Amino acid sequence: MPPPSPPSPMALSKHSQTASIFRKRAVSPASAASYLAALSQADASARARTGIAQSFTTTPALSMSSSITSLEDTESLDATVNASEALVFPMRPPTSAQNFTTRHTEFGHCAEPTFRTTSFHPIGIPLPPSLEQDPPYYILFSTYISYLILIVIGHVRDFVGKRVYPASYRDLMPRDGYASLNSDFDSFYTRRLKTRIDQCFTQPVTGVAGRTIMLLDRMSPDYNHTQILTGTRTLALNVSSYNYLGFAQSDGGCTDAVEESIRRYGIAALGSRLEGGASDLLGTAEALVAKFVGMEDAMICSMGFATNSTYIPALVGKGCLVISDELNHASIRFGVRVSGAHVRMFKHNDMANLEALLREVIGQGQPKTHRPWKKIMVIVEGLFSMEGTMSDIPVLLALKRKYKFYLYIDEAHSVGALGPHGRGVVDFFGADPRSVDILMGTFTKSFGAAGGYIAGSKALVDRLRVHGQSGPYAEAMAPPVIAQIIASMASIMGVQGAAPGVADGTYHHPGPAPVSALPAWLRLAPELASGAESAERLKRLAFNSRYMHKALKRLGFITYGHPASPIVPLLLFNLGKLSLFHHLMRARALPIVVVVVAYPGTSLTTGRVRFCMSAAHTKEDVDEVLRACDEIGDLLDLKHGCALEERWTVEECTQRAVDLGSA
C-alpha cells in the first residue's frame, strides 16, 4: 500500500487556525474509552502538524517522531513496552560542549545558559502576600452540588447494598454478636467518593522516577475496588515526583557511591542494621548535615514522618504551648498531639494573626491557672507542600526576638531545593540559620534518599538522642541510603580542594564540605566534587519553577504559591474534573503523569493538580506540560484567573520563557 500523501498547504493553514484540538467536534464520542482514544490520535496529529523546532543547545524533548531509541536510552526501556506507544528520542549525540553523564530519560540534557536563574529573595524586601483567587460562583455552586449528588447516591447504594449484597458489607455490619469492624460513617467518604477516582492514585511503577517514569498499566472490572495489571507499560513524562534536583538516577556519581557502600559494608548494608564501621558512616552523615544546614549538630532518623512525630514530644510537654500554622503537615500535628502540650493555630502564613495570638497567650498564660507557659514553640513549614507557599522567615525571626519563643521550621520540601546554595528557605531569605532553634528536614525529596534529620545546638541534639522515641526504638538507616545522602549533599556543597583556589581547612557556612568530613573511600566525579553540576541543577530548578508558575497565570489559570516554589498547584475545584484531568494528561500522544489532590488533603472546594518541577526537566518538557494544560483547560473550563495581567497564548509563553523564568 503506498504511503498517504502529505496534507496540502491549504489544509495545513486551515488546521493552524484552530487554537485547540478540542474545538468543533462534529460527533460526540460513544464512550469515555473511545473519547480518550480519539483524543490521543488528535493530539498526535496536531503535534505532527505543528512540527515545533528544537534548540540546538538542548537535547530534544520527548517525541513521537521516531520509533528508534538511542543506544543509551534503550538500556532504560523494557522490551515489553509497545514500540508504537513508548516515548522515544531522536538520535542526537551531545556536542563537544555537552559532556552529559546521565541518561536523557532520567535527567534531561540542557546546555542553554538562558534557561537558568538563581533562587533567592532580596534582603530587606517584604515577602509579597500569596493571594488566593476565588473562582466564579457557578464553579463553587456546581462543586457543592456534585458532592451532594454523590453523597445521596452513596447512601442509596449503601441502603440497597446492605440488603441485596450483605456479603459486601460484612465489615460494616454487626454479626455473630460482634460489633462492626469498621465504622459505616467514617468509611463513607473512602468508599463512595474517593473510590471513584482511585485510578488517579497509587499507580504502580517500575524503575527510576526521574524525568520520565515507567507506568504499569492497569484496569478495574469492579469500579476501582480492585485493580488488575494488563501486562503492558507506558513511559510517561513525570511531573509527579519530589525529584527536585534530579538525583533519582540509576547511574552517575551518587549511584557509584551507593554501590561502593554495598561492596564495602557487605550484604548486611541492604538491611537496616549498622555494624562495625557502618556506624561511623552515620556519624559522618550527621556531621555533614550539620555543616550543610549551618547548625552546630544534627541527628538522623530513618523515616521522615517519624522525625516530626517522635521528636516533637521530646521538645514540648504538659505546660508548654505549641503555636502551629493551620496548614502544617500531619506529622507535625501528630507529634504535637502525642506530646500533651497545649496547641493553638494561626491563619496560614498570616504574621499579623500570629502576633495577635502571641500577645493573647503570653498575657493570659495557661488555661485555668494563668501561670506562665513553661515553653512556647512556633512550628511552621519552610515550603508548604499543598499550597506552594513559603513562611515569611524574616518576619518570624523579628517576632522571635520580640516575644522570645522557640522557632521550629520543617524544611522537608525546601532544603536542597531553595536558596542560591540549596540550603533551604533560610538560605533563600539570606538569614542566619543559627537564629532558628530547630531545623527539621527530610532526604526523600532533593537528595533522592530516605529519612529525615533534626539540626540545632549540640545541647539540644544530645537531649533528643536520649529522649526522642526514634533513638532507642527505631531501626538505624541502612548504609546505602546514608551513602546516597552523603554523596548528593556533598555534590550540592562541593568539596574543598576540588574547585580551583579552594583549600581544605576550617568550614565556613555555606562553603564547600571539607575533605575530612567525607568518608575516605568516597570518590566523586570532578563535576560533582566541584559543585558545578549541582549549581547548574539549582538554577535549572529555579528557572523551571518560575517559568511554570508564571506561564500558568498568563494562560488564565488559578494557581497558588510562590513563583520560586517547585510545587505548582493548579486549581481544578470540581471532583469530577480531577479524574478527567488526570486521564486527559495521560491519554495524550506524549503521556504526562500528574498528582491530583482532593478533600481531605485540601478543602472541599479547592481540589487541585500539583506539578512537581525538577531540575531534570528541560524547557521543552515544561512547554509540553503547558500546551497540555492549555488545551485541557479550555475543554474543562479551568481558566478563571483574575485578569490582573495580560493573558498570553501558549505559544507566546513558550517563546518568552526567559522573561517568565527569570527572577
Side-chain angles (χ1 to χ4, degrees):
M1 181 182 295
S5 58
S8 64
M10 182 176 297
L12 288 175
S13 62
K14 180 179 180 181
H15 283 299
S16 63
Q17 295 174 0
T18 303
S20 171
I21 63 173
F22 299 105
R23 306 278 176 83
K24 299 181 181 179
R25 301 188 65 89
V27 182
S28 60
S31 65
S34 61
Y35 174 74
L36 292 177
L39 169 68
S40 181
Q41 294 175 3
D43 177 59
S45 61
R47 290 167 58 86
R49 289 195 302 267
T50 54
I52 301 168
Q54 303 290 341
S55 170
F56 287 105
T57 56
T58 305
T59 304
L62 302 179
S63 172
M64 297 294 293
S65 61
S66 172
S67 60
I68 303 176
T69 63
S70 65
L71 179 61
E72 184 182 40
D73 293 322
T74 304
E75 299 174 357
S76 65
L77 299 180
D78 194 282
T80 61
V81 181
N82 190 331
S84 64
E85 297 178 354
L87 296 177
V88 292
F89 308 89
M91 296 182 63
R92 180 182 295 182
T95 66
S96 58
Q98 297 172 306
N99 297 319
F100 299 113
T101 58
T102 58
R103 292 194 179 103
H104 187 59
T105 51
E106 298 174 357
F107 190 90
H109 302 157
C110 177
E112 175 55 55
T114 59
F115 300 151
R116 309 282 192 274
T117 192
T118 302
S119 173
F120 77 100
H121 183 79
I123 298 176
I125 303 298
L127 181 69
S130 178
L131 302 177
E132 297 185 359
Q133 302 178 24
D134 292 325
Y137 284 114
Y138 78 89
I139 295 293
L140 296 176
F141 180 76
S142 63
T143 301
Y144 281 118
I145 290 296
S146 66
Y147 275 104
L148 181 60
I149 293 174
L150 290 176
I151 290 172
V152 171
I153 293 176
H155 281 297
V156 171
R157 292 183 64 187
D158 281 353
F159 179 82
V160 175
K162 289 178 181 179
R163 290 156 178 79
V164 179
Y165 304 104
S168 301
Y169 293 84
R170 293 182 61 190
D171 293 340
L172 304 177
M173 301 170 62
R175 56 187 172 86
D176 301 331
Y178 290 93
S180 59
L181 188 61
N182 296 318
S183 169
D184 188 352
F185 179 80
D186 291 345
S187 64
F188 180 82
Y189 177 84
T190 303
R191 292 183 293 107
R192 294 307 181 198
L193 281 83
K194 178 181 177 296
T195 304
R196 289 178 173 270
I197 58 174
D198 257 352
Q199 70 277 7
C200 301
F201 311 116
T202 60
Q203 298 182 99
V205 301
T206 183
V208 172
R211 171 182 174 246
T212 63
I213 191 168
M214 185 71 74
L215 305 175
L216 303 179
D217 298 328
R218 60 183 180 174
M219 54 85 65
S220 177
D222 51 7
Y223 303 101
N224 291 331
H225 288 284
T226 59
Q227 301 283 347
I228 300 175
L229 296 178
T230 63
T232 60
R233 303 184 181 188
T234 300
L235 185 66
L237 181 64
N238 181 21
V239 286
S240 63
S241 299
Y242 296 138
N243 181 32
Y244 296 142
L245 291 185
F247 281 120
Q249 300 171 196
S250 61
D251 58 1
C254 294
T255 306
D256 294 341
V258 172
E259 293 177 352
E260 178 61 25
S261 71
I262 296 175
R263 286 191 291 266
R264 183 167 294 271
Y265 298 108
I267 300 300
L270 298 176
S272 295
R273 301 173 60 188
L274 291 179
E275 299 179 355
S279 60
D280 296 334
L281 188 63
L282 178 61
T284 300
E286 290 179 337
L288 186 63
V289 170
K291 289 180 170 59
F292 182 81
V293 299
M295 285 296 195
E296 189 177 1
D297 199 1
M299 61 182 302
I300 288 177
C301 179
S302 57
M303 181 182 177
F305 189 98
T307 307
N308 278 326
S309 60
T310 63
Y311 284 115
I312 289 178
L315 291 169
V316 292
K318 187 177 181 180
C320 298
L321 173 67
V322 172
I323 301 179
S324 176
D325 190 291
E326 65 179 351
L327 296 184
N328 274 345
H329 193 262
S331 61
I332 297 175
R333 294 169 176 261
F334 184 81
V336 174
R337 190 180 303 121
V338 171
S339 72
H342 193 76
V343 59
R344 296 288 299 273
M345 297 170 64
F346 66 96
K347 294 180 181 178
H348 173 57
N349 226 8
D350 190 333
M351 297 297 104
N353 182 251
L354 172 60
E355 184 171 15
L357 181 58
L358 284 167
R359 289 175 177 271
E360 176 190 341
V361 297
I362 293 175
Q364 293 293 329
Q366 298 185 40
K368 297 182 180 179
T369 65
H370 298 291
R371 294 176 180 175
W373 298 100
K374 295 180 180 178
K375 188 187 304 180
I376 298 177
M377 187 166 68
V378 175
I379 303 180
V380 298
E381 293 187 47
L383 176 62
F384 290 84
S385 59
M386 288 294 171
E387 309 295 316
T389 52
M390 297 184 197
S391 291
D392 197 336
I393 302 302
V395 176
L396 278 171
L397 293 177
L399 291 175
K400 179 180 182 296
R401 291 189 293 268
K402 183 176 181 180
Y403 294 100
K404 309 301 179 185
F405 57 80
Y406 292 97
L407 181 58
Y408 183 114
I409 300 180
D410 180 340
E411 290 213 271
H413 289 268
S414 57
V415 67
L418 294 178
H421 308 97
R423 311 302 171 93
V425 70
V426 179
D427 183 30
F428 180 80
F429 287 100
D432 180 8
R434 299 205 179 186
S435 60
V436 180
D437 298 288
I438 305 105
L439 285 176
M440 174 270 174
T442 63
F443 306 113
T444 55
K445 281 78 177 178
S446 298
F447 304 99
Y453 67 85
I454 290 280
S457 65
K458 184 171 179 17
L460 172 71
V461 173
D462 286 344
R463 174 180 172 82
L464 292 180
R465 293 185 194 278
V466 177
H467 296 278
Q469 298 171 0
S470 290
Y473 298 121
E475 287 282 357
M477 190 177 290
V481 180
I482 301 176
Q484 171 70 20
I485 294 170
I486 293 176
S488 58
M489 191 169 288
S491 299
I492 299 173
M493 300 173 72
V495 181
Q496 288 183 351
V502 180
D504 191 5
T506 305
Y507 177 77
H508 297 285
H509 183 79
V515 176
S516 57
L518 305 177
W521 51 265
L522 181 63
R523 297 290 183 271
L524 291 175
E527 61 272 10
L528 292 177
S530 65
E533 181 174 321
S534 293
E536 287 295 302
R537 295 189 182 210
L538 286 167
K539 292 179 180 180
R540 284 184 59 180
L541 173 62
F543 175 86
N544 291 341
S545 303
R546 289 182 179 273
Y547 174 35
M548 184 69 180
H549 185 276
K550 293 182 179 180
L552 287 175
K553 280 187 171 293
R554 286 289 187 177
L555 291 175
F557 293 99
I558 297 179
T559 62
Y560 286 170
H562 192 281
S565 167
I567 300 170
V568 186
L570 187 155
L571 276 293
L572 304 180
F573 302 106
N574 196 291
L575 183 67
K577 293 181 180 180
L578 298 179
S579 177
L580 192 54
F581 189 95
H582 179 274
H583 275 301
L584 294 178
M585 292 293 276
R586 181 171 172 176
R588 295 178 63 83
L590 191 157
I592 302 173
V593 179
V594 298
V595 175
V596 296
V597 187
Y599 179 85
T602 68
S603 63
L604 200 64
T605 59
T606 58
R608 67 199 64 176
V609 55
R610 288 188 308 157
F611 298 105
C612 301
M613 307 312 297
S614 170
H617 295 137
T618 64
K619 185 261 183 186
E620 287 77 9
D621 294 337
V622 185
D623 291 346
E624 290 294 337
V625 178
L626 289 174
R627 290 191 181 94
C629 290
D630 183 61
E631 295 174 356
I632 298 174
D634 289 335
L635 176 68
L636 300 184
D637 188 25
L638 300 177
K639 298 181 179 181
H640 303 295
C642 296
L644 299 178
E645 296 178 333
E646 178 188 358
R647 286 195 181 182
W648 294 353
T649 65
V650 66
E651 294 306 324
E652 187 175 3
C653 289
T654 59
Q655 292 169 8
R656 300 179 62 176
V658 176
D659 298 332
L660 295 174
S662 59

